[in-house]
């Protein structure tokens, strides 16, 4: 429960604060690690340096005693002839050595330091101290090294003939002390030890100052990082806020607004550009939808008005006037068929919009083209209408295409019907079929190794004005609205043809010159079963 609440709380925080928090927390971890490394490295380095100084001093004292014993041929220990004659008190400076010169040991002593010379039995021979009480120091030594301290052996191991030291940090009432024990050997014989204690008060004061400096520096760095991270996150996310504000203002009546795009090449600029592309598509879609609704309403209004008008005429006069009744019935049937065809066309467009169709059974192109041309020729002969000459330019071999036969026939009927309606009786309409047409293949078709067929329907009729060509495939669009409506067109034919062709992965193009004719080319996938 707590975990879910914590996740919900974190998810509710804005990205600006998340970035600031993550940046500050990461820097805090880095500073903590860095400060710890600096502090402990400094402490260890200073301690090692102090230890080396004490080792050098202890070695000098030990060498002095060894040299003195060798000069005087005294091979006894440090207690020979001196221990009882020179007692040491622990209340002040005292220095007694085998030379009866109490001043020499003080030359080795530094501030805050104690130096003791002990015999191998642990008896103090010489001592010099300042700021450290010998009694407290000796008590700590006994606690540190145990009851064996000073009993004929030094509490460290001896390796070979080299001098060895044992260092430790002790805590006294006045602070920490670094103690160092160094044995004194005379010809491989242990004769005593040098003990030095050094107050670490100055080092601890330095480390305390360093710790405060690191803490305060880290707090300052975190504060600056937090402020800088917040400012940076706010600045970086400002375009996102602009995008949000712009999108909030956009509605169905204000789709012309666009998100400001920064002149950068980052993800936010890409997001803004993508939003603008989406808004443009939405605007075009809404415009097309509104145009479609308006055009559909306009197309439905005329037949509905005529049906209502002739139904009223039939009700008033058709009951007694046979001529009026027959005329009204013909108009009603014609307009009803027109409404039915319009509804069917709209349903077909809605059903095929955006679909991708595939076909397992191929269609014979030559057969469909020949049948369609024959049907138009027979219709002209049956109605005794003079129309343009229909020509076909196809090969003798069977050409198979991956498209349903009824869909291919519908496209041909739409294109031939438009060509015939806009071509005089002295003109010609030609259908041309080309194989292996790869110039207009899409990238996907090229990658799949798909071969395309191109079918061209061209005439030398009226042609289409150049200003109408960009919208010629729009739904309900007519280059000449009045004449097209008189000829029975709804403005959906080319839209349906385009939808069918594109649903099979093909493309359709139209080129026209006013007064010279029109050429429509569309491509469809060639079937593998094509017989050569």
């Amino acid at each position: 429960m707590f975990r879910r609440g914590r996740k919900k709380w974190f998810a509710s925080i804005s990205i600006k604060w998340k970035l600031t928090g993550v940046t500050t927390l990461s820097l805090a971890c880095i500073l903590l690690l860095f400060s710890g490394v600096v502090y402990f490295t400094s402490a260890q380095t200073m301690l090692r340096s102090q230890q080396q100084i004490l080792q050098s001093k202890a070695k000098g004292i030990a060498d002095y005693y060894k040299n003195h014993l060798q000069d005087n041929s005294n091979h006894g220990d440090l207690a020979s002839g001196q221990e009882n004659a020179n007692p040491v008190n622990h209340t002040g400076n005292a220095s007694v050595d085998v030379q009866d010169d109490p001043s020499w040991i003080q030359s080795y002593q530094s501030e805050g330091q104690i130096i003791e010379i002990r015999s191998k039995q642990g008896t103090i021979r010489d001592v010099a101290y300042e700021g450290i009480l010998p009694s407290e120091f000796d008590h700590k030594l006994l606690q540190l090294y145990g009851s064996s301290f000073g009993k004929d052996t030094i509490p460290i191991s001896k390796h070979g003939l080299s001098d060895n030291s044992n260092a430790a940090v002790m805590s006294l009432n006045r602070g920490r002390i670094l103690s160092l024990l160094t044995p004194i050997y005379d010809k491989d014989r242990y004769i005593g030890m040098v003990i030095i204690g050094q107050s670490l008060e100055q080092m601890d004061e330095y480390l305390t100052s360093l710790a405060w400096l690191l803490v305060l520096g880290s707090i300052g760095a975190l504060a600056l990082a937090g402020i800088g991270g917040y400012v940076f996150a706010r600045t970086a996310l400002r375009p996102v806020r602009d995008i949000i504000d712009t999108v909030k203002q956009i509605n169905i009546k204000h789709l012309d607004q666009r998100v400001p795009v920064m002149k950068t090449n980052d993800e936010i600029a890409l997001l803004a550009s993508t939003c603008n592309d989406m808004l443009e598509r939405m605007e075009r879609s809404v415009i097309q939808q509104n145009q479609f609704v308006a055009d559909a309403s306009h197309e439905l209004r005329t037949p509905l008005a005529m049906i209502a008008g002739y139904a009223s005429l039939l009700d008033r006069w058709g009951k007694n006037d046979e001529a009026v009744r027959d005329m009204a019935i013909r108009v009603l049937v014609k307009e009803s068929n027109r409404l039915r065809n319009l509804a069917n066309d709209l349903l077909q467009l809605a059903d095929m919009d955006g679909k991708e169709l595939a076909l397992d059974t191929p269609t014979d192109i030559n057969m469909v083209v020949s049948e369609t041309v024959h049907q138009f020729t027979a219709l002209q002969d049956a109605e005794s209408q003079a129309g343009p000459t229909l020509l076909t330019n196809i090969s003798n071999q069977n050409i198979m295409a991956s498209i349903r036969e009824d869909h291919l026939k519908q496209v041909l009927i739409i294109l031939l019907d438009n060509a015939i309606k806009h071509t005089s009786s002295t003109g010609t309409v030609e259908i041309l079929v080309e194989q292996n047409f790869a110039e207009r293949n899409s990238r996907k078709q090229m990658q799949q190794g798909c071969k395309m067929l191109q079918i061209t329907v061209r005439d030398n009729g009226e042609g289409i004005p150049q200003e109408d060509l960009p919208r010629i495939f729009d739904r309900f669009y007519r280059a000449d609205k009045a004449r097209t409506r008189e000829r029975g067109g709804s403005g959906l034919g080319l839209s349906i043809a385009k939808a069918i062709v594109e649903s099979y992965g093909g493309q359709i193009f139209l080129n026209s010159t006013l007064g010279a004719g029109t050429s429509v080319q569309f491509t469809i996938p060639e079937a593998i079963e094509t017989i050569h």
Side-chain angles (χ1 to χ4, degrees), residues 88-95 106 109 127-130:
V88 179
N89 64 68
H90 287 197
T91 59
N93 289 333
S95 177
Q106 295 181 3
Q109 183 193 10
V127 62
Y129 60 92
E130 179 182 345

Side-chain angles (χ1 to χ4, degrees), residues 384-433:
S384 299
Q385 294 179 353
T389 303
L390 301 181
L391 303 176
T392 59
N393 187 351
I394 56 179
S395 63
N396 295 326
Q397 60 188 10
N398 293 332
I399 303 175
M400 312 301 289
S402 295
I403 185 173
R404 276 173 45 181
E405 180 178 339
D406 57 331
H407 283 165
L408 176 60
K409 193 169 186 178
Q410 185 176 6
V411 174
L412 291 174
I413 289 174
I414 292 171
L415 299 182
L416 283 173
D417 183 62
N418 283 341
I420 292 172
K421 286 178 180 178
H422 296 86
T423 304
S424 65
S425 58
T426 59
T428 59
V429 176
E430 182 182 11
I431 300 179
L432 174 65
V433 179

